[in-house]
Amino acid sequence: MKKIKEEHLNQLADYTRHLYRHPELRHLFLEFTLQCNENCFHCGSRATREKREELTADDFKRILAEVREDFDISRMQLCITGGEPMLRRDFFEIMSYAHELGFRWGMTSNATLIDHDVAHRLAECGMSTISVSIDGLKDTHDRLRGMKGGYERAMKGIQCLIDEGSFQAVQVTTVINHQNIDELDELFAIMDKIDIDSWRVIHLEPIGRALDRPELMCTKEDYIRLFDFIRDKRKQGYPLEFGCSHYLGLDYEAEVRDWYWLCNAGVYTASIMSNGDIGACLDIERRAETIQGNIKTDRFRDVWENRFELFRHDLSDSSETCRGCVHKRFCRGDAHHSWDYDRNEPMVCMRGILFE
């Protein structure tokens, strides 16, 4: 099996070089707002309850019309996120327009604002998928996300989405840290009883507000426990998966998710931020070199086709830490969102944790 995986990974490594030269936009993230009604300790965007500079509904409509004109949107998914995107009063106006233009779209939400009426309106304006955050059992979830009653409101929102019965996928995403990993089995029992389509389990990343809580980062033992848990449940046929982050080595690659590691930033994925800035993955640190333009002054197609050089080469090529690593052909320096751009090295590396 390891030989088969190595063959697949070598093919993917060759294909990645092709993608660097010929990227294909498959996921366009629209960050509707950095306002949120929760205050999650791990928020990569450091979203708050305060409203900041945002694009208008007309801005988003113009962007959508231009993207439809410039790209084959039949091969693209819009991914709506925030903050909490449903805090925008013009949410349904924008997404109804996107639906009229023919876009496929999904959303990431905390679901606390979703009732049966909202779920029906989401179906009417074309939402196909949604991922809802549940980050622990009731008390843990409410504590980590800074909202008393947030767990119950989110679970009710999930059930309303399920009851609507119109969506391609209702997913739950859980961020595991050093404390809530002890709740994995109880969380699984809860998820197994509700009719969600998949459970996406990821680990705490050193981004955003999580940087202020280093004691909650996963240990080596936590990582092994998490990946063994996901692999075992998948072998039993449950729709459980790890997120897209990080090269995991031959023992876990293609075991805890459907395929092999590839950082999509800038080759399959781009984002338009709430202030109009253009970047790759929204979890990437926002700094001068990672921002590629702004939609107020640049046409998105021009930025996608003529910039993004930062994301279209192996990070390992320019890193003293990675350059001599025997795994660099498959890892490529790992993920852009967990890259230390000051020290030019990965902040997360599974070598020495999951493999040698």
Side-chain angles (χ1 to χ4, degrees), residues 155-168:
M155 293 298 286
K156 288 179 180 177
I158 291 168
Q159 192 58 54
C160 290
L161 293 162
I162 293 170
D163 291 344
E164 179 64 26
S166 300
F167 306 110
Q168 180 180 337

Side-chain angles (χ1 to χ4, degrees), residues 218-224 227 248 252 348-356:
C218 290
T219 64
K220 177 177 179 178
E221 293 73 23
D222 293 337
Y223 282 125
I224 294 172
F227 293 124
L248 305 177
Y252 291 101
V348 176
C349 178
M350 293 299 172
R351 186 180 184 184
I353 298 176
L354 301 181
F355 58 91
E356 296 301 326

Side-chain angles (χ1 to χ4, degrees), residues 19 24 60 76-77 94 105 122 141 207 234 305 331 335 352:
L19 277 178
E24 178 185 344
F60 277 114
M76 182 192 306
Q77 170 104 353
I94 299 169
W105 68 276
L122 289 169
H141 175 93
I207 58 176
R234 285 173 64 88
E305 292 179 350
C331 173

Side-chain angles (χ1 to χ4, degrees), residues 87-102:
L87 284 173
R88 285 193 68 120
R89 295 182 178 180
D90 52 12
F91 175 91
F92 288 105
E93 176 188 348
I94 299 169
M95 296 321 300
S96 294
Y97 181 73
H99 184 44
E100 291 172 7
L101 291 180

